[in-house]
Amino acid sequence: MLRKKIKDDGILRLIPKRKKGILRLIFSRIFLIALLVLLQISILVSIYQFFLDFMPQIRLLMGIFTIIMIFYLFNCKMDSSAKLSWLIIIMIFPVPGAILLGFIQSDTGHLAIKKRVAYLIAETKRKLPHNKGILARKEVRSSGIDDLCFYLNRTGCFPIYENIYTEYFPSGESKFERLIEELYKAEKFIFIEYFILDEGYMWGKILEILRDKAAKGVEVRVMYDAMCEMSTLTHDYPSRMERLGIKCKAFSPIMPFLSTYYNYRDHRKILVIDGKTAFNGGVNFADEYINRKERFGHWKDAAVMIKGDAVRSFTLMFLQMWNISEKKPEWDKWLEPVEPIGKFDGYVLPYADCPLDDEKVGENVYMDILNRATSYVHIMTPYLILDGELENSLKFAAERGIDVRIILPGIPDKKAAYSLAKTHYKSLVRAGVKIYEYTPGFVHSKIFVCDDEKAVVGTINLDYRSLYHHFECATYMYKTECIESIEEDFQETLKKCRQVTPETIKKEKLYYKIVGQFLKLIAPLF
């Protein structure tokens, strides 16, 4: 019998509330996985120690191997900040550090998914038609979007679209309200790909609609990142969903084996309805995102909804991830052309970033905006953990007179990330970048808005995990109607912020200074 629970407020739950306590932790699947992984690490350390104690000649071979790995390090395509971090590790722990570097760089653990993703992207490279007439237009060419579109299509299928309806949501609450309205309209299919699902009011309301739609014959598919199994969902949650008629998958399930596979998480937030409506942005399906539950003060987030042919790009992104584990991928059935819904200003370019190729798509799009800006670039991001290239782009834009402003959290969700962000303050402020901290709470929005003409709303943070290790996606907009709303939201949020100045940097807590400087040595590795 399906274990489900209806709370007093009418929220559907598929799993009962978890009891807290040490016994629940000890007998949990997560504890078992952690125990087995630690056992594997202990065995590897023991083997290494055995060879060092009983076969001194191995030291020479290990030394040669270490030198080879250092030469490799300086000649690979890795970011310079990451190279420096690895060099420090190898200097302190020569042999273990070199072995770990070799293990990670060898694709061990994620070679299969790397090949599968590359195959699926290649299979769909021409699934969506490109409008070459748009790219030939004078305003598009003068803005540089034609070049950006050409770059993006080296890594996937990302057409640029016109006559697309766009609507910006300055909070999780406003997105949730509109999302519910749109879900009720679904007739053919609902595709959901989100980083976090957490049972509560928000997900419960959505789940009720999904259950009812599935019962009426609507194809409902849900995919979430399997890190949820560590905190919010049970391992058998997909089978629980199946009993409601909902197809469900957890991306990259955590198994009791050492692997680099787990480093690549699905951080995307995509919801597609009938191939006609799509939602994208920073808002996950958990109650803190709509401020129904408080964790770090007021939760400030953002999202965007699009209607029209551009939705097919998000449908394709979803299908690429869904079909990683499918034997017979289906494409064309879900990618049918969409009837025009009217005339709308501007252009929309949805795009994705895959961590398994050699392209830093998310970072390069952000740097393209910074480098082409003529007046201002306004940014909201929850994290600021920059590599050298992105930090230089921010500084260069400010130094050539562009008004670069960044809004960050005033109350952090992770003190380590908060400490790392503060290590960049002095350099950026000195260059003229204006940094603000949102005093009411936590900023989770991921937005760039530039010159009243360009904007990006998506899932891509300004940190190493988003830019290097996550599957991400975003909506690039040029001269669309909602760009004015994005800038208005930035200005309204700015009123609730404190500005970072040279004086506030000097008065910063010693804890953040020490922890930040230490973590900066290894930040590129995580």
Side-chain angles (χ1 to χ4, degrees), residues 237 263 441 453:
Y237 201 74
N263 202 34
E453 290 186 340

Side-chain angles (χ1 to χ4, degrees), residues 25-81:
L25 176 63
I26 291 174
F27 291 102
S28 67
R29 180 175 177 272
I30 299 306
F31 183 81
L32 177 62
I33 289 174
L35 195 64
L36 291 172
V37 169
L38 286 173
L39 179 62
Q40 292 172 68
I41 293 173
S42 299
I43 291 172
L44 291 174
V45 170
S46 299
I47 293 172
Y48 170 70
Q49 192 62 47
F50 171 83
F51 279 106
L52 289 185
D53 291 342
F54 296 98
M55 299 181 66
Q57 59 269 36
I58 293 294
R59 293 180 184 272
L60 176 61
L61 295 176
M62 290 297 188
I64 295 172
F65 174 72
T66 300
I67 293 172
I68 291 173
M69 290 309 298
I70 290 174
F71 272 100
Y72 167 79
L73 184 63
F74 275 89
N75 288 280
C76 69
K77 296 180 180 179
M78 190 185 300
D79 171 68
S80 57
S81 300

Side-chain angles (χ1 to χ4, degrees), residues 36 39 107 125 130 135 205 235 272 279 382 397-398 401 442 457 472 485 494 499 503:
L36 291 172
L39 179 62
D107 289 339
K125 203 74 182 276
H130 290 260
L135 296 176
K205 285 292 186 183
H235 180 60
V272 177
F279 289 83
F442 183 65
V457 179
E472 303 278 7
S485 299
L494 203 62
Q499 185 171 1
E503 289 71 30

